Amino acid sequence: FNQLRAFIETELEKVAGEIEQSKSLLLTRLYQIERDFKTGLEQTGNSLAASIGELEDRFDNSLAKSG
């Protein structure tokens, strides 16, 4: 009985270690995804702002030519 108990405890400790390692890897990957998402969002915002600026310039030029 003691051998079985020791075996089960050892296996549970292994599983707990594997779970902790998986958790650590998952958190690392989530942080990478979050960083990449924020970078992409910032780039999209910058592109949108540039496009709006171009449209404003075109509109202003169009008004200046017609006025």
Side-chain angles (χ1 to χ4, degrees), residues 13-27:
E13 288 173 5
K14 286 181 188 177
V15 170
E18 291 171 357
I19 289 171
E20 191 60 35
Q21 184 180 15
S22 295
K23 178 182 171 184
S24 177
L25 291 172
L26 179 61
L27 286 174

Side-chain angles (χ1 to χ4, degrees), residues 1-66:
F1 182 74
N2 287 336
Q3 287 178 338
L4 178 59
R5 181 178 178 172
F7 173 76
I8 291 173
E9 286 176 352
T10 301
E11 291 302 308
L12 287 175
E13 288 173 5
K14 286 181 188 177
V15 170
E18 291 171 357
I19 289 171
E20 191 60 35
Q21 184 180 15
S22 295
K23 178 182 171 184
S24 177
L25 291 172
L26 179 61
L27 286 174
T28 298
R29 183 65 183 131
L30 283 173
Y31 291 139
Q32 290 171 346
I33 290 169
E34 180 183 27
R35 186 184 66 237
D36 293 346
F37 176 78
K38 286 180 178 180
T39 299
L41 185 61
E42 182 178 350
Q43 290 173 349
T44 301
N46 290 342
S47 294
L48 183 59
S51 295
I52 290 172
E54 285 182 30
L55 289 173
E56 287 176 338
D57 288 346
R58 288 182 189 176
F59 183 73
D60 290 344
N61 288 338
S62 153
L63 285 178
K65 288 179 183 177
S66 66

